[in-house]
Amino acid sequence: MAHPGGPGIGWEYLRVPHLERSLTMVYIEPVGTGASGRLDDPQDYTIATYGHFVHQVIGHLGLDTVALLGHSHGGFVAQRYALDHPRHLSGLVLYDTSPVTGEDFWAAAVAGMQDFTRLHIREHPEVAAFADALTTRPEVEDDEEATAILRTIAPAYFHDYYGREADFAPGRAALRMYAAPAWGQEPAFDVRGDLPGLSVPTLVVAGADDFICGPRWARMIHERVPAAELSVLERAGHLGHIERPGEFAALVTDFLTD
C-alpha cells in the first residue's frame, strides 16, 4: 500500500510499474485529492485524519496485514500509522521523508532550494522564483493555482531534470495538486522520541540529492528505529522511483522478500 506525498498531490506520480511486476500494489488516493471526498473543514487535513483513512482502507480490503510505503508527507502518515497500528503492518518503507518538521526542517528545505537556484539560474532564469513558490500556500479552493505551483518547482525535485527533460517533462505536465489539504492545522510533526519503540521491519530510502527530505533526515530515522535498513539512491532527488526505477524497485522487493 503506497501513500503519496504533499499533502494534496495526486497519487499518480507515485505509481511504480517496476513494483507492479512482482507485488500487488494498492495506491491510496488521499482524502481531499482526486475522486476522494473533501473534508468540510480544511483545517481537519491532519496526519491523524490520513492515518484514519489508511486504517479504513486496510479494513475494507479485509487484509490482516499490509506492507506500507509512505513517500514524503505520506512518510509522516506511515510513521504515525506504524506506531499506532503495528500489528497491521508486515513491513514499512519510509521513502524520502523525515521524522520531524518545524523551523529547522523548513529552513533546510529553503536553503536546499536556494542551492538549486544558484546552480541553474544562469541557464534557466525561471528558477529564481522557486524558493518563494516553495513556501506559497494557494487559496483553499484554488486547485489550479496549487497545480501550477507544483509544476513550476518540479525540476528541483530531480537530481538532473534539465539533463533528462525529455524523459521527465510529460510527468511534470501531468502532476496534479489539490489546495485544501495544505490548510490542515496541527503542530509540527515530530516522532523522534517514539521511533525507538517501532517494532515493524523498516526500510528507509532517500535520494542523495533530495533537497527537502534527503539523507540527513533519513539517517535520523535510521538511527532511531531498531534494526532499520537505510539505502541512499545516488544520482536521485526526491523522486528516485522515477529517476532510478529499477534500482528503487529492487530495494523494495528485496527488503520485502527478506
Side-chain angles (χ1 to χ4, degrees):
M1 183 170 291
H3 198 295
I9 300 178
W11 71 271
E12 292 87 352
Y13 84 92
L14 190 55
R15 187 168 184 180
V16 190
H18 280 68
L19 287 180
E20 295 170 13
R21 297 172 184 173
S22 56
L23 303 173
T24 299
M25 297 293 294
V26 176
Y27 297 97
I28 295 285
E29 186 165 51
V31 63
T33 71
S36 290
R38 305 298 188 262
L39 299 177
D40 292 335
D41 186 349
Q43 295 186 359
D44 291 338
Y45 289 100
T46 64
I47 299 296
T49 299
Y50 294 114
H52 164 78
F53 284 114
V54 169
H55 196 59
Q56 294 302 309
V57 171
I58 292 173
H60 175 75
L61 293 174
L63 299 171
D64 293 328
T65 61
V66 300
L68 180 62
L69 183 154
H71 177 241
S72 196
H73 177 268
F76 305 163
V77 178
Q79 288 173 79
R80 187 68 262 168
Y81 188 83
L83 289 163
D84 293 341
H85 302 283
R87 70 181 185 88
H88 289 292
L89 299 185
S90 58
L92 180 66
V93 180
L94 300 175
Y95 169 37
D96 283 332
T97 190
S98 170
V100 61
T101 58
E103 291 184 8
D104 187 36
F105 174 85
W106 285 109
V110 170
M113 183 66 91
Q114 291 170 337
D115 289 342
F116 175 86
T117 297
R118 283 190 288 271
L119 183 64
H120 294 286
I121 194 166
R122 179 171 296 179
E123 294 182 356
H124 302 278
E126 69 274 13
V127 304
F130 281 20
D132 287 340
L134 178 67
T135 56
T136 298
R137 184 162 64 169
E139 293 297 324
V140 68
E141 298 293 341
D142 198 337
D143 294 344
E144 293 306 316
E145 180 191 2
T147 295
I149 292 170
L150 178 62
R151 291 178 183 174
T152 294
I153 65 176
Y157 290 84
F158 292 83
H159 161 70
D160 185 20
Y161 177 85
Y162 296 113
R164 297 177 59 190
E165 190 165 8
D167 295 330
F168 301 142
R172 179 188 186 185
L175 287 169
R176 289 289 303 171
M177 190 161 185
Y178 302 85
W183 289 80
Q185 295 292 315
E186 60 183 330
F189 181 71
D190 190 350
V191 294
R192 289 173 294 180
D194 299 327
L195 290 180
L198 185 60
S199 58
V200 179
T202 301
L203 171 66
V204 185
V205 181
D209 299 316
D210 183 354
F211 82 92
I212 193 166
C213 288
R216 171 187 175 183
W217 310 105
R219 294 189 183 100
M220 202 175 286
I221 299 172
H222 179 241
E223 291 165 359
R224 288 166 172 78
V225 176
E229 300 178 24
L230 173 63
S231 292
V232 176
L233 285 171
E234 299 298 330
R235 301 184 304 283
H238 195 59
L239 299 169
H241 69 288
I242 296 174
E243 294 184 279
R244 305 184 65 77
E247 186 175 344
F248 176 82
L251 287 173
V252 174
T253 52
D254 288 351
F255 166 72
L256 296 178
T257 300
D258 292 343

